[in-house]
Amino acid sequence: MKNWEVFIISTNNRLAMIKALKITVVSYLREHGFKGTFPHFRRQKENHIDLITFQFNRYGGSFVVELAFCPAEGITTSWGEHISPKKVTAHDVNERYRLNEDLNDASKQWFHFENAIDEKDYEQVASEVKQLLHRKIE
């Protein structure tokens, strides 16, 4: 298989995974007050903002879900740039948590879809993310 063929397959797999996440997870996030567009979401609370970002592995086949929070007024970076509540993302916050089932096993931070064959496989990964988020964002 040529490099460009691998790239096309990887891109198509990623798009299929994003589609499953949008159907299963993004709709769930919206039901729970999150706003934003994929891959960055935020939920304004009285005293803070909950932040969620999806980050895909550059080599394909997996992604992490990063969770963070910041003050309700947004953040100011170490170099003095203010990021407003409507623009702040989990990547802007230094202290982030990667969603996973086992806090003692860093390898469980990655959600893998490289072996997915059909829509059902992608939906299964998205459902796993939704279940773990359900425990964290309620």
Side-chain angles (χ1 to χ4, degrees), residues 2-42:
K2 296 182 170 112
N3 286 343
W4 63 269
E5 290 173 314
V6 171
F7 175 76
I8 290 171
I9 291 169
S10 177
T11 300
N12 288 341
N13 289 351
R14 178 177 171 162
L15 292 173
M17 189 68 250
I18 290 171
K19 178 182 176 185
L21 287 168
K22 285 181 176 180
I23 291 168
T24 303
V25 179
V26 174
S27 60
Y28 176 79
L29 291 175
R30 298 230 186 277
E31 290 169 8
H32 289 82
F34 283 85
K35 296 180 180 179
T37 55
F38 195 87
H40 304 292
F41 299 92
R42 64 193 62 77

Side-chain angles (χ1 to χ4, degrees), residues 74-89:
I75 66 162
T76 301
T77 64
S78 60
W79 55 91
E81 176 187 0
H82 179 73
I83 303 175
S84 74
K86 292 185 178 185
K87 297 288 184 184
V88 67
T89 71

